[in-house]
Amino acid sequence: MTTAVDDDLWSAIGDPNRRRMLDLLLDGGAASATALSDQLPVSRQAVAKHLAVLDRVGLVRSSPEGRERRYRVDQAQLERAVAQLNAVGATWDARLRRIKQIAEAIQRQQDG
Amino acid sequence: MTTAVDDDLWSAIGDPNRRRMLDLLLDGGAASATALSDQLPVSRQAVAKHLAVLDRVGLVRSSPEGRERRYRVDQAQLERAVAQLNAVGATWDARLRRIKQIAEAIQRQQDG
DNA sequence: GTGTTATGCAACCAAACGTTGCACGTTGAA
DNA sequence: TTCAACGTGCAACGTTTGGTTGCATAACAC
């Protein structure tokens, strides 16, 4: 069963820019909104809003560091998100597999 | 590398109602907008718009049948979507795994 | 101090998701 | 053959979300 929290996680990673931000953060360890926006096609403020979304669902955490605020991935929460992805993928995969098997059975029946 | 088409696929399955619609369609084989809306918390028109989105990215196809229009999942395209999910999940998983290994190595170094 | 840099806040715009209302074709039964 | 019921499609509208710009403020570097 899918919960509301899971939906929040999904919609957080549903946005392509947010996914790329997670990629960048995983790659660099930690970064500020300004640093991230340098590597993304959107403004620093847009990045800041996305970071707020990711923070709200717990996918990133931040701490002030001098005059900048650095964000880093919350590994446990990203693992939960990955588990969600895998779960949905596995469900659909199983269902598709079953449909194919049925289709093949019908085919054999018609041929035979 | 992620393409624009892939982003479209992602955003299509990013919406929780659309994911549930795909579940329902996989389960029932084919259904009309009205039938789907009976099993969802949104109006028939909202469902119709979601179906239009899914149709635009090729995840469902439809054909008129009497006075109703029935939608069914395009299996090949859903397989592509599942592959996307798995790819992103695998990437993040690998990255998380690497980070953990590094963390453990540092830990051992400090202990030793 | 003064200028540069990073941030945060507010106003604003466009697209997406949701609603309701209505008009039109199809179905089935009086 | 009417006529009511059903399913659809279209239009108008409101709210949320992702994006922008502009500006004020705090921290660094000279």
Side-chain angles (χ1 to χ4, degrees), chain B:
Chain B
M1 189 46 194
T2 338
T3 73
V5 175
D6 293 335
D7 278 353
D8 285 349
L9 255 189
W10 256 96
S11 72
I13 59 177
D15 184 276
N17 283 325
R18 285 199 283 266
R19 272 199 311 284
R20 282 170 195 140
M21 286 167 59
L22 289 172
D23 285 339
L24 291 171
L25 287 176
L26 282 175
D27 211 32
S32 66
T34 303
L36 287 176
S37 69
D38 286 343
Q39 309 182 59
L40 289 168
V42 294
S43 68
R44 195 252 318 168
Q45 286 83 345
V47 170
K49 289 185 190 176
H50 284 307
L51 285 170
V53 172
L54 292 174
D55 185 83
R56 218 176 302 134
V57 300
L59 279 169
V60 303
R61 277 168 301 111
S62 72
S63 50
E65 219 157 289
R67 80 178 127 185
E68 58 182 48
R69 174 169 287 271
R70 315 201 88 222
Y71 295 81
R72 76 203 99 260
V73 171
D74 184 304
Q75 300 180 22
Q77 192 70 350
L78 185 58
E79 275 172 20
R80 285 196 59 192
V82 170
Q84 286 294 313
L85 293 184
N86 290 340
V88 172
T91 302
W92 284 346
D93 210 45
R95 183 66 75 178
L96 286 170
R97 213 173 294 273
R98 256 197 82 223
I99 291 172
K100 279 188 181 174
Q101 284 181 356
I102 293 171
E104 284 167 12
I106 293 173
Q107 192 62 37
R108 274 193 301 275
Q109 200 172 7
Q110 287 180 346
D111 291 353

Side-chain angles (χ1 to χ4, degrees), chain A residues 39-101:
Chain A
Q39 310 182 58
L40 288 168
V42 294
S43 67
R44 194 251 319 167
Q45 288 81 347
V47 170
K49 289 186 189 178
H50 283 307
L51 285 171
V53 172
L54 292 174
D55 185 82
R56 218 175 303 135
V57 301
L59 279 168
V60 304
R61 276 169 301 111
S62 73
S63 51
E65 219 156 290
R67 80 177 128 186
E68 60 183 47
R69 173 168 288 272
R70 314 200 89 221
Y71 294 82
R72 77 204 97 259
V73 172
D74 183 305
Q75 300 180 23
Q77 191 71 348
L78 185 58
E79 276 172 20
R80 285 196 59 190
V82 170
Q84 285 292 312
L85 293 184
N86 290 340
V88 172
T91 301
W92 284 346
D93 211 44
R95 182 67 75 178
L96 287 169
R97 212 174 293 274
R98 255 198 84 220
I99 291 172
K100 279 189 180 173
Q101 284 182 355

